[in-house]
């Protein structure tokens, strides 16, 4: 798939510049995809059906893998090579279709209407991560017109934002069908820099059951909120330990393992010793830090409260539920997909990031994977989420150079 003779001309080509959205081939598709409210809790089928019809218009069939309720699905579609090959080698362009909620966020524009302001495009999903998928889809006519040496696959998933749930079924399905891509590019926002590694992540819920009492009689109760807060404080203390004394990898934007508590719920009224409290916490870990050893320490810390709790009521407890787990990923810089992606982004830099992606799951299926997409993670999940015209133009230039690699003409 490499074409060393192309390299010089590729790198000589001036970087595409977009002075307005109308310079972007992908603009109509970006606008269309953002207009679908695909918040993770809702169905993504309207978006998928639109993409299926769009691809069918170019003679490309799509297949879906559904969730249990058939409310959501992944879409898989293959542009076959000129010789008819649709299974061996080739590159997967991967993007999730779901977006995080806009509830309670102060937006200045309609989040589901892509809106240009100055040199920025605002909209939910414009950076995380509909623009990458839209740009890949916009170039389908060009891929087909030029003819492909190797297949190009589209993988559009559901429920990424709630734990990379959907894509697992898509990957299982293509493995079962004997599709063996050479590599995969996940278009999560990296500022169009090439990312070859990211941290792993594990999340848990801690549930503390205390014992209710009138607040004038605190010794007769077990205060679930206070015990939960002691455990929260232990998580925070361990997080400081990772920061101050843990092993580091300076290639990451945050070069150490992090832990944090994201939500907590407990108590009903100030004059009642609270019976229940629960909180969710997570660890985003470097490959050499063991998430299970961490949670074992948290459990051991929590266990010290149990004798005192049981002395008041045998019904009290502290329990931990595993919520989600994402392995880390680390793709070799010398792999073919990394070398191709390096050339496609004009060797614009390489890094490691702290956020998890579906890349780890493709990697787990022996599909070498890199991450490279427009926009920056700092703008993802925010009110007024945006990507710059420059980033969107760079994404288009990246995928055009990819076409130079995979196309015959
Ligand atoms: Zn994302």
């Amino acid at each position: 798939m490499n074409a060393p003779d192309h390299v010089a001309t590729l790198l000589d080509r001036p970087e595409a510049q977009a002075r307005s959205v109308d310079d972007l081939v992908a603009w109509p598709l970006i606008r269309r995809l953002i207009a679908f409210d695909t918040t993770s809790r809702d169905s993504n089928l309207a978006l998928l059906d639109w993409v299926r019809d769009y691809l069918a218009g170019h003679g490309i069939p799509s297949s879906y893998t559904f969730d249990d309720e058939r409310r959501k699905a992944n879409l898989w579609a293959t542009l076959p090579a000129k010789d008819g090959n649709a299974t061996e080698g080739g590159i997967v362009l991967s993007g999730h279709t779901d977006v995080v909620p806009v509830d309670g966020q102060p937006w200045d524009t309609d989040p589901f209407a892509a809106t240009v302001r100055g040199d920025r495009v605002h909209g939910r999903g414009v950076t995380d991560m509909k623009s990458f998928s839209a740009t890949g889809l916009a170039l389908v006519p060009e891929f087909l017109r030029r003819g492909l040496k190797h297949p190009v696959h589209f993988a559009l998933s559901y429920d990424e934002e709630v734990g990379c749930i959907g894509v697992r079924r898509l990957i299982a399905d293509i493995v079962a069908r004997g599709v063996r891509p050479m590599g995969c590019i996940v278009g999560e926002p990296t500022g169009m820099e090439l990312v070859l590694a990211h941290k792993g992540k594990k999340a848990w819920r801690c549930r503390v059951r205390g014992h209710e009492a009138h607040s004038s009689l605190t010794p007769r109760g077990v205060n679930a909120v206070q015990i939960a807060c002691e455990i929260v404080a232990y998580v925070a203390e361990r997080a400081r330990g990772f920061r101050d004394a843990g092993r580091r990898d300076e290639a990451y934007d945050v070069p150490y393992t992090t832990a944090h508590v994201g939500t907590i719920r407990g108590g009903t009224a100030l004059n009642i010793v609270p019976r229940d409290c629960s909180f969710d916490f997570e660890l985003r870990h470097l490959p050499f830090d063991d998430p299970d050893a961490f949670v074992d320490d948290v459990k051991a810390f929590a266990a010290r409260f149990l004798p005192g709790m049981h002395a008041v009521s045998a019904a009290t407890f502290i329990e931990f539920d595993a919520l989600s787990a994402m392995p880390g990923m680390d793709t070799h810089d010398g792999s073919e997909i990394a070398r191709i992606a390096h050339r496609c982004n004009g060797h614009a830099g390489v890094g490691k990031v702290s956020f998890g992606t579906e890349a780890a799951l493709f990697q787990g299926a022996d599909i070498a994977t890199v991450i490279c997409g427009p926009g920056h993670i700092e703008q993802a999940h925010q009110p007024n989420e945006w990507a710059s015209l420059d980033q969107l133009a760079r994404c288009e230039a990246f995928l055009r150079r990819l076409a130079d690699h995979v196309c015959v003409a």
Side-chain angles (χ1 to χ4, degrees):
M1 194 161 301
N2 296 307
D5 48 320
H6 278 185
V7 174
T9 51
L10 289 178
L11 296 179
D12 288 345
R13 183 189 296 179
E15 193 66 64
Q17 290 198 335
R19 280 185 204 85
S20 93
V21 283
D22 297 319
D23 296 333
L24 298 170
V25 170
W27 173 237
L29 270 84
I30 291 171
R31 216 166 43 172
R32 193 69 205 89
L33 296 194
I34 285 172
F36 291 103
D37 176 355
T38 48
T39 306
S40 306
R41 61 179 172 240
D42 298 321
S43 172
N44 70 337
L45 291 179
L47 182 151
L48 250 49
D49 289 350
W50 188 90
V51 172
R52 179 198 58 197
D53 293 347
Y54 166 83
L55 288 170
H58 294 286
I60 302 299
S62 303
S63 61
Y64 289 3
T65 40
F66 287 93
D67 73 343
D68 287 340
E69 291 83 39
R70 296 183 74 85
R71 282 180 65 235
K72 304 174 187 176
N74 306 296
L75 180 150
W76 175 261
T78 297
L79 316 185
K82 249 190 147 172
D83 62 6
N85 170 26
T87 54
E88 288 301 315
I91 292 175
V92 182
L93 301 180
S94 160
H96 61 81
T97 60
D98 59 320
V99 295
V100 296
V102 297
D103 308 343
Q105 292 189 337
W107 280 75
D108 298 328
T109 60
D110 177 353
F112 299 106
T115 305
V116 185
R117 291 219 166 154
D119 63 352
R120 295 176 177 181
V121 178
H122 293 272
R124 172 56 89 226
V126 70
T127 192
D128 186 12
M129 57 164 288
K130 288 176 171 173
S131 295
F132 176 83
S133 306
T135 305
L137 290 166
L139 292 178
V140 163
E142 194 169 317
F143 282 120
L144 293 175
R145 190 175 61 246
R146 295 176 64 180
L148 291 163
K149 288 184 270 189
H150 306 274
V152 169
H153 311 279
F154 285 93
L156 303 184
S157 65
Y158 68 91
D159 276 359
E160 190 274 349
E161 295 288 5
V162 290
C164 294
I165 292 170
V167 78
R168 296 169 201 254
R169 292 183 181 208
L170 180 149
I171 292 171
D173 182 55
I174 62 170
V175 168
R177 287 197 277 151
V179 182
R180 287 204 294 261
M182 179 280 290
C184 173
I185 301 170
V186 174
E188 290 278 3
T190 65
M192 289 312 297
E193 298 218 334
L194 191 59
V195 165
L196 302 175
H198 66 64
K199 291 178 179 176
K201 176 184 134 177
K202 262 194 166 175
W204 304 268
R205 174 163 299 156
C206 173
R207 292 179 290 115
V208 181
R209 166 69 49 86
H211 185 73
E212 272 181 340
H214 190 282
S215 63
S216 65
L217 302 171
T218 54
R220 297 189 197 168
V222 174
N223 190 316
V225 167
Q226 289 179 192
I227 291 167
C229 286
E230 301 251 17
I231 305 168
V232 168
Y234 176 77
V235 171
E237 180 191 319
R238 289 296 305 271
R240 285 190 292 274
F242 288 123
R243 182 193 64 193
D244 299 337
R247 288 173 64 189
R248 298 168 79 89
D249 181 342
E250 300 294 340
Y252 286 90
D253 43 358
V254 178
Y256 45 86
T257 292
T258 59
H260 110 129
V261 175
T263 64
I264 185 164
R265 280 178 201 84
T268 53
L270 183 56
N271 61 3
I272 301 172
V273 174
R275 188 179 74 144
D276 285 301
C277 187
S278 72
F279 65 91
D280 294 353
F281 63 109
E282 66 170 28
L283 188 76
R284 291 177 183 257
H285 61 93
L286 296 169
F288 39 72
D289 283 328
D290 179 2
D292 297 325
F294 165 77
V295 79
D296 285 347
D297 290 347
V298 178
K299 288 175 180 172
F301 177 84
R304 67 175 65 177
F305 296 99
L306 290 172
M309 295 165 70
H310 289 153
V312 175
S313 165
T316 57
F317 60 75
I318 302 174
E319 285 182 355
F320 290 85
D321 307 321
L323 295 181
S324 65
M326 270 295 296
M329 71 85 103
D330 204 340
T331 298
H332 195 273
D333 204 11
S335 63
E336 191 172 3
I337 188 69
R339 285 189 290 120
I340 290 173
H342 268 301
R343 287 183 195 158
C344 292
N345 81 348
H347 300 264
V350 59
K352 303 181 178 183
V353 293
S354 300
F355 58 93
T357 73
E358 294 174 336
L361 299 169
F362 283 101
Q363 190 82 0
D366 283 332
I367 302 169
T369 301
V370 299
I371 310 164
C372 188
H376 298 275
I377 195 71
E378 292 80 8
Q379 280 108 44
H381 301 197
Q382 299 288 324
N384 301 322
E385 176 178 344
W386 57 273
S388 69
L389 285 177
D390 176 63
Q391 281 289 310
L392 299 174
R394 283 206 215 186
C395 178
E396 217 163 279
F398 176 92
L399 288 168
R400 282 238 160 74
R401 291 194 187 111
L402 184 70
D404 291 340
H405 278 277
V406 296
C407 290
V408 177

